[in-house]
Amino acid sequence: MPDDTSSQPSPALTGRAPTHPRARHAGLLTGPLPILTAAVLWGTTGTASSLAPTGAPAAAVGAAGLVLGGLLLFLTAPGGRSLPRTRTGGERGLLAVGALAVAGYPLSFYPAVARTGVAVATVVALGGAPVLAGLLAWLTRQSRPTVRWAAATATAVLGCVALVLGPGLTGAGAPVDLPGVLLAAAAGLSYAVYALVGGQLIARGHASGAVMGVMFGGAAVLVLPVVLWSAGPWLPTARGALVVLYLGVVTTFLCYRLFGYGLRHTTAQTATTLTLVEPAVAAVLGVAVLGERLPAVSWCGLAVLALGVVLLTRERRAEPQSSNRP
């Protein structure tokens, strides 16, 4: 990823542009690859949550996974427990905002899915997140998005729209519910906010594991009452426990460790665009595992989405490293 998409590049990068092929390969491994790996695993959440016992509320399942994964992130992060005490008031405020944003995502996204369907909620939340991240970064003067980033993001969002809404465009789709759309937009905003907050704190030199641990640990405490209130007989069952265990350990704990590591070398705007791979993986799993069928327009959207992601992953090597430092 290019450093010129952000005015606060990671301190882990030096002022020298990597010229050796092995160094360029290492740049890919430390930048896009952890985020793309997390996005691929996030794409399994729909299939995994569909295996929950009948009658389990979607929001409760997601919140339970966040409680487990968030506490694991906090308890296993070196320096996580001391980070809030040793930071300035402004940085503690950022951590609090990040925790609120993390907690807001499952509490808005899953009800959006219930109201307006998976397709529309996914497009609005995930498709809007990179755009909102770019606007927020620009408004807060953290960065000025480049033309290349804007073109790659527009390509990826267009592909995501065609991929997810393809079945509805060629047949009977889910009804669009305005409150559901607004909830999905709130989920996209939550995602953009905690990605920006995490990226900003990591760019200041704080360990990515500690930052993610504090934000997700705080979010786990915030959504715990929701789990306690809505937990039913489904949670103690073997299927319910396995689904929550997978969502907590794999799609929360492991994925956000990877996401935080990727933010050390990638701007939040680019990271939110790369995670548009998630609906692509979910769609392919739906075909391969659940026996769903995708029309030609969805496959074309998948190809366009892949093109946008390729443009972003190649951008770091195509553009020179910025010499500006915080």
Side-chain angles (χ1 to χ4, degrees):
M1 299 311 108
D3 284 346
D4 60 356
T5 59
S6 174
S7 62
Q8 298 188 28
S10 170
L13 297 175
T14 66
R16 295 187 307 238
T19 55
H20 194 277
R22 186 173 298 175
R24 290 196 296 268
H25 183 63
L28 179 65
L29 294 178
T30 56
L33 191 58
I35 294 172
L36 288 172
T37 303
V40 168
L41 292 173
W42 283 329
T44 66
T45 55
T47 302
S49 61
S50 69
L51 300 177
T54 304
V61 174
L66 174 57
V67 169
L68 175 60
L71 291 177
L72 283 174
L73 281 168
F74 178 71
L75 294 175
T76 60
R81 278 168 280 191
S82 62
L83 183 63
R85 298 195 305 268
T86 59
R87 296 304 96 204
T88 64
E91 290 184 337
R92 284 196 293 268
L94 283 175
L95 288 169
V97 170
L100 286 171
V102 171
Y105 184 84
L107 299 183
S108 54
F109 180 73
Y110 289 103
V113 169
R115 294 190 66 102
T116 196
V118 175
V120 175
T122 300
V123 166
V124 173
L126 295 182
V131 179
L132 290 169
L135 289 175
L136 286 172
W138 176 60
L139 290 174
T140 57
R141 298 182 179 180
Q142 293 185 40
S143 70
R144 185 177 61 185
T146 64
V147 173
R148 186 184 181 95
W149 172 86
T153 297
T155 301
V157 170
L158 178 62
C160 179
V161 171
L163 166 68
V164 179
L165 296 186
L169 295 175
T170 57
V176 178
D177 179 81
L178 181 57
V181 169
L182 293 176
L183 284 169
L189 180 62
S190 296
Y191 178 30
V193 168
Y194 72 72
L196 280 172
V197 169
Q200 184 175 357
L201 290 169
I202 292 167
R204 294 182 182 183
H206 303 305
S208 59
V211 171
M212 288 294 162
V214 171
M215 290 198 305
F216 276 78
V221 174
L222 291 174
V223 302
L224 181 59
V226 176
V227 177
L228 296 176
W229 178 265
S230 57
W234 63 272
L235 188 55
T237 64
R239 286 179 60 186
L242 285 174
V243 168
V244 171
L245 186 66
Y246 178 81
L247 294 177
V249 174
V250 178
T251 66
T252 301
F253 173 70
L254 176 60
C255 284
Y256 280 102
R257 273 292 178 85
L258 291 169
F259 187 73
Y261 182 74
L263 283 178
R264 292 168 54 189
H265 308 274
T266 307
T267 63
Q269 305 95 289
T270 299
T272 51
T273 302
L274 289 173
T275 52
L276 288 174
V277 169
E278 177 184 345
V281 174
V284 172
L285 280 177
V287 173
V289 178
L290 303 180
E292 298 176 355
R293 307 188 70 175
L294 290 178
V297 65
S298 291
W299 290 111
C300 291
L302 180 61
V304 173
L305 172 57
L307 174 61
V309 172
V310 168
L311 289 174
L312 282 172
T313 56
R314 289 179 61 85
E315 186 180 5
R316 184 190 185 101
R317 291 173 287 173
E319 298 287 342
Q321 297 288 349
S322 172
S323 60
N324 296 326
R325 291 290 172 262

